[in-house]
Amino acid sequence: MIFPPYSVFGIPLIIGRFAFIKTITVKIEQALVLYLLKNKQMSLQGIGTFSIDIPLPEVTDNEKPIVIPANAVSFVYDPKIGEDESIIDFIVLHTKKIKPLASADLDSFLTLGRQFLNIGKSFTIHNIGTLDKLRSGVLEFR
């Protein structure tokens, strides 16, 4: 039995060049920070509304990190806020996921955060801030 010159166990191998394409995908938490920076306001279901109160410079260089000052973000607690479709669309755009999956991922992330708050732990959204639940049930942002 004669095999082609490039074969393994009789299966011919395809030899060619492969280009590794760098795809940039972000996680839910990173997408939320980008959304807040772009839109200056973000409403998360069951939690409340975050907003940036001071003007930030426009980002033209993606390699340069954005520094958000400590007092730049404010928070208004509102547990009755529903899902914001524009956040879901933004997550779909940046994570390359289908819309139902992006919605489920956001809901899962926020549910986990609410569970942390309910057991007395802090819920931190990196580069935005930390939420703590007071004894009165109100969320405090720092």
Side-chain angles (χ1 to χ4, degrees):
M1 180 181 260
I2 298 175
F3 294 110
Y6 298 107
S7 65
V8 175
F9 302 112
I11 301 171
L13 296 177
I14 299 173
I15 297 183
R17 296 182 184 190
F18 296 95
F20 293 100
I21 300 171
K22 183 178 178 183
T23 58
I24 299 174
T25 57
V26 297
K27 296 181 180 181
I28 293 292
E29 201 169 13
Q30 296 166 329
L32 293 177
V33 173
L34 292 172
Y35 182 85
L36 181 61
L37 288 172
K38 182 179 178 194
N39 296 312
K40 309 296 186 224
Q41 186 171 353
M42 172 178 66
S43 297
L44 299 177
Q45 68 248 28
I47 292 181
T49 303
F50 294 90
S51 58
I52 294 182
D53 301 327
I54 63 173
L56 294 174
E58 291 297 321
V59 180
T60 56
D61 184 13
N62 289 337
E63 298 296 322
K64 188 175 179 182
I66 301 167
V67 178
I68 302 173
N71 60 349
V73 180
S74 63
F75 173 73
V76 176
Y77 175 59
D78 186 2
K80 296 180 181 178
I81 289 181
E83 187 174 74
D84 187 358
E85 287 297 318
S86 63
I87 293 176
I88 301 299
D89 293 337
F90 191 83
I91 291 170
V92 167
L93 179 68
H94 286 6
T95 62
K96 310 293 188 238
K97 295 181 179 181
I98 60 173
K99 196 169 186 173
L101 183 58
S103 177
D105 282 353
L106 178 61
D107 186 55
S108 176
F109 176 73
L110 296 176
T111 299
L112 182 65
R114 284 191 295 273
Q115 288 173 350
F116 276 136
L117 293 168
N118 287 336
I119 63 172
K121 299 202 182 249
S122 298
F123 175 43
T124 301
I125 303 174
H126 293 288
N127 298 323
I128 293 179
T130 302
L131 292 169
D132 288 313
K133 192 170 193 176
L134 303 176
R135 291 187 185 262
S136 62
V138 176
L139 297 182
E140 176 189 46
F141 178 71
R142 47 184 177 93

